[in-house]
């Protein structure tokens, strides 16, 4: 309550929370930074220690202690949340996490933007670590996600169809102990006239997750669900990788970014077409990606070897070698 906007409040070893403290006169209208002694010493509880089952399916297990606050920054601490839905900080303008650990699942962060820097997310077993639920812009820089088949759910119903939602993932690492979905599971079917704008950059890697059969990527996908009735991929998502538009209008724009391309996972279709040109014979071979079925064709000039002797007619053998 004594802090002025822009102040830093330093926290010692221990567990902290403002849950059920009215934001009026305490955090409302202020930019505040809370700085701990490290994730192994300082912890902050988001919302109730044990979410109330009577409030499941609503926002009322969320934390209103920063309702109306400006920019709220947490540094060098562990953020603790439960595994119920609709947890997080309700109606703060902007939230920032620097060098933190987040245990549990969260939905609500900054209502204008949320930024996570050098933060480790430990998802509850078999569930998402975070939903892009309340933030029009959500940015992850140098973050690590430890999960079991799910990491980030790019989905909202709260602000669906109200504005574009931007998700930036820069040099993040996704580690999974189970194959289920992609690192970013996108569901855009309720976005109306707006889009998800997903920007992936730097050394972003996903290990242990599933390669989506449509996007051919472990980093982003639509849960393998395509189509008007059951599809999460309704054409309302643009994905850029290192500044290149690779997915838009529900379609792959290039195969260059994919797992199939990077792993050289192509299946020979045994379809070869030979053509004689002025300077020799050429062969076109056909293959498809082993993950998504994307077809490629490669044309190479054949080399030849002659075999002949003094009594028999000569034989020339052409060989086309494909990479």
């Amino acid at each position: 309550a004594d802090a002025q906007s822009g102040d830093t409040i330093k926290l010692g070893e221990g567990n902290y929370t403002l849950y059920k403290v009215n934001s009026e006169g305490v955090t409302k209208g202020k930019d505040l930074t809370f700085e701990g002694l490290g994730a192994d010493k300082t912890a902050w509880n988001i919302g109730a220690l044990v979410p109330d089952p009577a409030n499941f399916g609503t926002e009322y297990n969320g934390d209103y202690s920063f309702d109306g606050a400006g920019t709220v920054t947490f540094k060098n601490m562990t953020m603790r949340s439960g595994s119920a839905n609709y947890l997080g900080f309700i109606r703060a303008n902007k939230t920032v996490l620097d060098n933190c650990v987040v245990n549990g699942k969260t939905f609500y962060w900054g209502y204008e933007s949320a930024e996570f820097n050098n933060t480790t997310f430990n998802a509850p077993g078999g569930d998402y670590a975070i939903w892009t639920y309340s933030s029009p812009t959500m940015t992850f820089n140098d973050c690590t996600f430890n999960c079991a088949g799910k990491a980030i759910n790019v989905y909202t119903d709260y602000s669906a169809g109200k504005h574009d939602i931007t998700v930036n993932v820069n040099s993040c690492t996704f580690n999974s102990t189970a194959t289920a979905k992609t690192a970013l599971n996108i569901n855009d079917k309720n976005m109306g006239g707006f889009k998800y704008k997903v920007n992936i950059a730097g050394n972003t890697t996903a290990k242990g997750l599933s390669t989506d059969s449509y996007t051919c990527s472990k980093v982003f996908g639509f849960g393998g669900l395509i189509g008007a009735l059951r599809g999460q991929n309704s054409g309302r998502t643009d994905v850029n990788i290192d500044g290149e538009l690779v997915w838009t209008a529900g379609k792959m724009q290039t195969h260059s970014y994919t797992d199939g391309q990077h792993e050289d996972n192509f299946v020979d279709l045994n379809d070869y077409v030979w053509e004689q040109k002025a300077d020799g014979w050429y062969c076109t071979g056909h293959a498809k990606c082993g993950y998504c079925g994307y077809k490629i064709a490669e044309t190479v000039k054949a080399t030849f070897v002659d075999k002949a002797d003094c009594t028999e007619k000569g034989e020339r053998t052409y060989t086309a070698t494909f990479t």
Side-chain angles (χ1 to χ4, degrees), residues 18-53:
L18 287 176
Y19 181 59
K20 289 195 173 180
V21 173
N22 193 310
S23 67
E24 194 72 42
V26 180
T27 63
K28 191 171 185 177
K30 297 179 182 179
D31 298 334
L32 296 171
T33 297
F34 298 88
E35 185 174 352
L37 295 178
D40 58 335
K41 292 183 171 63
T42 306
W44 190 285
N45 291 338
I46 303 172
L49 189 62
V50 179
D52 184 352

Side-chain angles (χ1 to χ4, degrees), residues 29-318:
K30 297 179 182 179
D31 298 334
L32 296 171
T33 297
F34 298 88
E35 185 174 352
L37 295 178
D40 58 335
K41 292 183 171 63
T42 306
W44 190 285
N45 291 338
I46 303 172
L49 189 62
V50 179
D52 184 352
N55 292 328
F56 285 175
T58 74
E59 68 181 54
Y60 296 112
N61 275 316
D63 194 322
Y64 289 83
S65 57
F66 293 99
D67 189 355
T71 299
V72 182
T73 302
F74 297 92
K75 294 183 177 181
N76 305 328
M77 66 180 73
T78 291
M79 311 297 292
R80 293 175 171 169
S81 181
S83 58
N85 291 333
Y86 304 105
L87 300 177
F89 295 118
I90 311 294
R91 290 195 292 265
N93 284 350
K94 181 179 180 180
T95 52
V96 179
L97 265 62
D98 287 335
N99 195 35
C100 289
V101 173
V102 181
N103 294 329
K105 178 171 60 173
T106 54
F107 283 51
Y108 293 98
W109 291 93
Y111 275 50
E112 293 179 1
S113 66
E115 182 179 320
F116 305 88
N117 304 308
N118 193 32
T119 291
T120 297
F121 293 83
N122 296 315
D127 209 339
Y128 294 103
I130 191 169
W131 288 39
T132 62
Y133 194 76
S134 63
S135 306
T137 300
M138 186 168 273
T139 301
F140 303 91
N141 297 316
D142 302 297
C143 293
T144 298
F145 291 80
N146 299 314
C147 61
K150 299 178 182 179
I152 301 175
N153 195 24
V154 182
Y155 175 75
T156 184
D157 53 39
Y158 164 79
S159 55
K162 297 179 181 177
H163 51 72
D164 290 337
I165 296 175
T166 299
V167 182
N168 303 310
V169 179
N170 303 313
S171 295
C172 292
T173 300
F174 297 87
N175 300 312
S176 179
T177 59
T179 56
K181 297 187 177 181
T182 51
L184 282 76
N185 181 65
I186 306 169
N187 185 345
D188 62 9
K189 63 185 178 183
N190 62 354
M191 285 296 284
F194 296 93
K195 288 184 175 183
Y196 287 110
K197 297 182 177 181
V198 178
N199 302 303
I200 301 165
N203 186 27
T204 295
T205 59
K207 299 177 182 178
L209 290 156
S210 297
T211 297
D212 188 273
S213 58
Y214 293 94
T215 66
C216 198
S217 173
K218 292 182 179 67
V219 176
F220 78 95
F222 299 88
L225 303 177
I226 302 292
L229 294 178
R230 57 192 292 270
Q232 298 179 191
N233 177 38
S234 67
R236 300 178 178 95
T237 298
D238 288 345
V239 179
N240 289 274
I241 296 181
D242 292 326
E244 180 183 10
L245 182 64
V246 302
W247 188 276
T248 190
K251 296 180 180 179
M252 181 186 295
Q253 302 301 298
T254 173
H255 197 255
S256 62
Y257 71 89
T258 63
D259 291 350
Q261 191 79 28
H262 294 159
E263 298 171 13
D264 197 23
N265 181 13
F266 288 101
V267 178
D268 189 349
L269 293 177
N270 294 309
D271 177 13
Y272 298 98
V273 179
W274 288 86
E275 180 184 8
Q276 187 176 25
K277 299 183 180 180
D279 61 340
W281 279 89
Y282 288 78
C283 184
T284 300
H286 300 83
K288 68 177 182 180
C289 176
Y291 291 126
C292 69
Y294 182 89
K295 292 183 178 180
I296 63 169
E298 181 182 358
T299 301
V300 298
K301 184 178 180 180
T303 60
F304 64 86
V305 174
D306 287 333
K307 182 181 178 181
D309 58 39
C310 295
T311 60
E312 299 292 334
K313 292 182 178 181
E315 181 182 82
R316 175 169 286 182
T317 302
Y318 289 90

